[in-house]
Amino acid sequence: MAQDADTDGDGPSGYFSLIDYSVFGGMLLISALIGIYFAFFAKQKQNTTKEYLMGGKSMGIFPISMSLIASYISGISLLGIPAEMYTFGSQYYVVVFSEIMVSVTMAFAFIPVFHGLNITSSYEYLRLRFNKPVRLMGSAIFMIKMMLYIPIVIYMPALAFNQVTGINLHYITPVVCIVCIFYTTLGGLKAVVWTDTLQTIIMFLGLIVVMVFGTTQVGGLATVIERNAQSGRLELFDFDIDPTTRHTFWTLSFGNYFNWLAACSVNQAMVQRCLAMPTMKQAKTAILILTCGIFTIVSMCCYSGLVVYAAFHDCDPMLRGLVKKSDQILPYFVTQMGKSIPGLPGLFVAGVFSAALSSMSTGLNSITAVFYEDFVKPSVKKPWSEAKASFVMKVVVFVVGTICVGNVFFVERLGAAIQVVKSMSGITAGALLGTFSLGLFFPWANSKGTLAGGISSILLVAWISFGSQSNIAAGKIKFPKKPVTLEGCSLAQLSGLNTTAASILHINNEITSPDVFYFYRLSYLWYTLIGVTTCCTVGLLVSFATGANKPQDVDQKLLSPIIHRFIDSPKKQESHMLQPVEEKLLTST
């Protein structure tokens, strides 16, 4: 396939046909129509806070499961994971082991508490367990995290669209985001969940088509495996214990466990969907389906990356200057297949944008829930009418969405998507997971300790993360990449290139400068664990120094079920002692 690519010198803009635009436009149109349906034609209109934020707590297992999968799988995953395989090898696939364990932890240690309290925002829990300042700290951290995350989510599919059409990503980004803001604003959670369902199906379909046709074009599964094995890309069990090594079995299983636990178990975007289920049993079923879906789609993304390398194993498009960033390698591969398969580029881009739209709409809806429940509602002296509350929430969606679209223009300067996202999320993820862990698993923790722990965690991880990113940008921190070559390129493909013997086979043997501070060299996958450890350690120390809680004074409804057996509390037998939680819930509402 490499020999046939771009022999005419044309850019990728010629590969998006009318059929492709129709497929892509159809996805956007249907998404918008779903929002219109739930806003104006559904039996239950989205004009109450319960309907708008929680779908009336009557959502079914299938759409919630699809929405959970869509919330996790963004354009970052669909483009970033194949790029990871192509550039660094298959070691990253080990993350699926940690993600399975996270789902079990989420189902049995976290969600039962939130679901049992019948709350809307997961940060309401912090008010019940600690006090209002802790709740506001958690809510603010979450909103900052999502405001940083959403622009990256939007940028990734715009990058793919640019690669397959040649259209400036600054033109397509506002158009697509307007559609997302439109249906999220009008239709609330139900519109978000059902568009997520549609978009998840499109994601799977796009990846399946790319995998099947890609494997066929390179010569079959055996060829894919052989070419990747010869380049040293097939590796899974690197047991190097050096914490500065970017990806090892330990960083991807143990380190990523905490990263993903924070992203799912205490993240409003994920928790809100579980809370929208009528029963805890249905919520657990949705989480089980989520686990299967993530395992499947991550496996598909990883295999797609191996297929792409097999296609370009002897004529690398990055060395030829046809691809500027590694995250564009899969879209470029699709443009090559699109020459013989009409509609494929349109389906692929629709799938990538579907992943982005689902993540963006989920983020906007969850930010709105947190902002209204944790900031607006407690500060209003007289309760608002449902119509006024619904209007305010829609305004919040519009304003936050507009800000996120504006921030997309700052994302272009960032590096590889997977690393950047997890590095930045680690700043807030560790603090959030640590804060909730103090409440759920450590009955001795008090509000003063939790505040001190959360703030300390953010400051420490932010210092490490920004220090690392600045050194990467300065070229002081480098990561060894797998070899690529131009030895199989035709003369036509090499025309205009200044090729030398050294550039025919390119191996990145550069190493990180020894002058870089040790903590800046730590693998980004340890950031969340560092944050959690710091938060819990500082939180407990300050709690004991300022008067720790007595376990018997903490309502068991606020503690994780997995530690009930270890806590000697008279509230196990005295059900009337559980009233303080109900009283706090009434007060907070």
Side-chain angles (χ1 to χ4, degrees):
M1 177 173 176
Q3 284 79 3
D4 298 326
D6 282 310
T7 56
D8 56 3
D10 292 334
S13 58
Y15 304 142
F16 220 63
S17 65
L18 181 60
I19 296 177
D20 297 313
Y21 280 110
S22 299
V23 172
F24 177 66
M27 181 272 294
L28 294 179
L29 177 61
I30 296 174
S31 297
L33 291 176
I34 290 174
I36 293 174
Y37 171 77
F38 283 107
F40 301 110
F41 300 103
K43 291 182 180 180
Q44 293 176 313
K45 304 294 190 297
Q46 305 302 297
N47 52 12
T48 68
T49 55
K50 185 177 181 181
E51 280 292 331
Y52 192 80
L53 296 178
M54 303 299 292
K57 297 206 76 170
S58 60
M59 300 298 297
I61 292 176
F62 175 72
I64 288 292
S65 301
M66 295 299 101
S67 183
L68 285 170
I69 295 171
S71 299
Y72 175 78
I73 300 296
S74 65
I76 297 169
S77 301
L78 294 187
L79 298 180
I81 294 178
E84 176 72 27
M85 297 293 108
Y86 189 96
T87 307
F88 297 103
S90 63
Q91 183 67 46
Y92 185 80
Y93 185 65
V94 175
V95 297
V96 296
F97 301 130
S98 62
E99 289 165 354
I100 293 172
M101 293 305 300
V102 164
S103 298
V104 175
T105 308
M106 181 181 176
F108 292 96
F110 287 85
I111 299 301
V113 176
F114 302 140
H115 200 280
L117 293 174
N118 195 30
I119 56 181
T120 299
S121 165
S122 57
Y123 303 99
E124 290 179 62
Y125 167 82
L126 298 179
R127 166 70 177 86
L128 300 174
R129 174 64 174 85
F130 298 111
N131 57 16
K132 185 176 180 179
V134 175
R135 173 183 181 175
L136 294 180
M137 179 189 71
S139 301
I141 292 173
F142 168 76
M143 293 179 68
I144 293 171
K145 174 183 178 180
M146 294 306 294
M147 294 288 279
L148 292 173
Y149 175 71
I150 291 176
I152 302 176
V153 167
I154 301 168
Y155 171 73
M156 291 303 296
L159 198 66
F161 194 83
N162 168 257
Q163 182 66 41
V164 299
T165 67
I167 297 177
N168 191 306
L169 59 87
H170 297 153
Y171 298 150
I172 188 61
T173 297
V175 174
V176 175
C177 290
I178 287 172
V179 174
C180 182
I181 295 171
F182 174 77
Y183 71 73
T184 305
T185 301
L186 288 181
L189 181 68
K190 284 188 176 179
V192 170
V193 167
W194 280 106
T195 51
D196 284 353
T197 302
L198 166 70
Q199 291 157 1
T200 301
I201 293 172
I202 294 175
M203 275 191 281
F204 275 101
L205 184 60
L207 277 176
I208 290 172
V209 172
V210 170
M211 288 169 51
V212 171
F213 283 99
T215 301
T216 302
Q217 289 199 10
V218 300
L221 177 62
T223 302
V224 173
I225 295 175
E226 179 185 358
R227 290 177 179 177
N228 279 276
Q230 289 176 348
S231 68
R233 278 172 170 76
L234 295 185
E235 53 183 0
L236 287 178
F237 301 106
D238 180 357
F239 292 105
D240 186 356
I241 60 173
D242 183 359
T244 65
T245 303
R246 182 174 179 268
H247 283 169
T248 66
F249 177 85
W250 308 113
T251 60
L252 290 162
S253 57
F254 192 65
N256 189 68
Y257 169 81
F258 291 93
N259 199 312
W260 200 57
L261 186 64
C264 291
S265 298
V266 300
N267 187 335
Q268 174 68 15
M270 302 291 278
V271 172
Q272 187 175 343
R273 274 129 192 82
C274 294
L275 299 182
M277 303 291 289
T279 67
M280 188 60 224
K281 182 178 180 180
Q282 289 176 306
K284 288 183 177 179
T285 302
I287 293 172
L288 175 62
I289 298 174
L290 164 69
T291 305
C292 298
I294 289 178
F295 177 84
T296 302
I297 205 163
V298 169
S299 299
M300 292 167 66
C301 288
C302 288
Y303 179 73
S304 295
L306 300 181
V307 170
V308 175
Y309 175 75
F312 300 126
H313 71 288
D314 59 355
C315 191
D316 180 65
M318 293 190 69
L319 287 183
R320 294 169 58 198
L322 299 174
V323 176
K324 295 180 180 179
K325 302 186 75 169
S326 61
D327 302 311
Q328 290 179 303
I329 195 72
L330 181 58
Y332 176 76
F333 173 68
V334 171
T335 64
Q336 305 308 298
M337 288 199 298
K339 294 177 180 180
S340 56
I341 309 173
L344 177 59
L347 178 62
F348 171 76
V349 171
V352 175
F353 262 111
S354 292
L357 289 174
S358 61
S359 298
M360 181 180 181
S361 60
T362 297
L364 293 178
N365 187 258
S366 58
I367 287 176
T368 302
V370 170
F371 183 78
Y372 178 75
E373 293 290 338
D374 298 349
F375 291 94
V376 175
K377 202 172 178 180
S379 62
V380 176
K381 294 182 180 180
K382 293 183 179 180
W384 284 349
S385 65
E386 291 290 351
K388 184 177 181 180
S390 178
F391 174 77
V392 169
M393 287 185 287
K394 291 175 181 178
V395 171
V396 172
V397 171
F398 176 78
V399 172
V400 173
T402 303
I403 293 173
C404 290
V405 173
N407 288 339
V408 171
F409 302 106
F410 297 101
V411 176
E412 294 180 81
R413 304 175 185 228
L414 301 178
I418 291 291
Q419 174 155 343
V420 170
V421 170
K422 293 203 173 185
S423 296
M424 298 300 292
S425 66
I427 298 174
T428 55
L432 283 177
L433 181 58
T435 298
F436 279 95
S437 296
L438 284 170
L440 289 165
F441 305 111
F442 301 96
W444 308 276
N446 61 24
S447 57
K448 293 180 180 178
T450 304
L451 276 173
I455 295 172
S456 300
S457 173
I458 289 177
L459 293 176
L460 176 61
V461 180
W463 168 59
I464 296 174
S465 180
F466 286 126
S468 175
Q469 288 299 312
S470 63
N471 277 278
I472 291 174
K476 294 182 179 180
I477 295 180
K478 300 181 183 295
F479 306 105
K481 300 178 181 179
K482 298 302 180 182
V484 290
T485 182
L486 295 175
E487 63 183 3
C489 296
S490 66
L491 292 177
Q493 291 171 321
L494 293 177
S495 63
L497 292 179
N498 183 20
T499 56
T500 63
S503 65
I504 291 296
L505 178 62
H506 182 77
I507 302 177
N508 185 343
N509 289 322
E510 298 172 309
I511 60 174
T512 297
S513 171
D515 297 331
V516 176
F517 185 60
Y518 180 79
F519 280 99
Y520 295 161
R521 290 186 276 126
L522 290 174
S523 171
Y524 67 97
L525 289 171
W526 293 120
Y527 290 176
T528 301
L529 176 58
I530 293 172
V532 171
T533 304
T534 301
C535 182
C536 291
T537 302
V538 173
L540 289 174
L541 289 175
V542 174
S543 293
F544 281 108
T546 59
N549 293 327
K550 295 180 179 179
Q552 59 267 30
D553 292 335
V554 180
D555 199 309
Q556 281 209 337
K557 280 189 175 182
L558 301 173
L559 299 175
S560 175
I562 66 174
I563 69 165
H564 286 179
R565 70 183 67 180
F566 305 110
I567 302 299
D568 184 17
S569 171
K571 293 184 181 180
K572 291 179 181 178
Q573 289 76 33
E574 301 179 33
S575 60
H576 69 278
M577 295 288 286
L578 299 177
Q579 289 304 311
V581 170
E582 279 74 11
E583 292 174 4
K584 283 187 175 182
L585 277 169
L586 290 173
T587 302
S588 65
T589 56

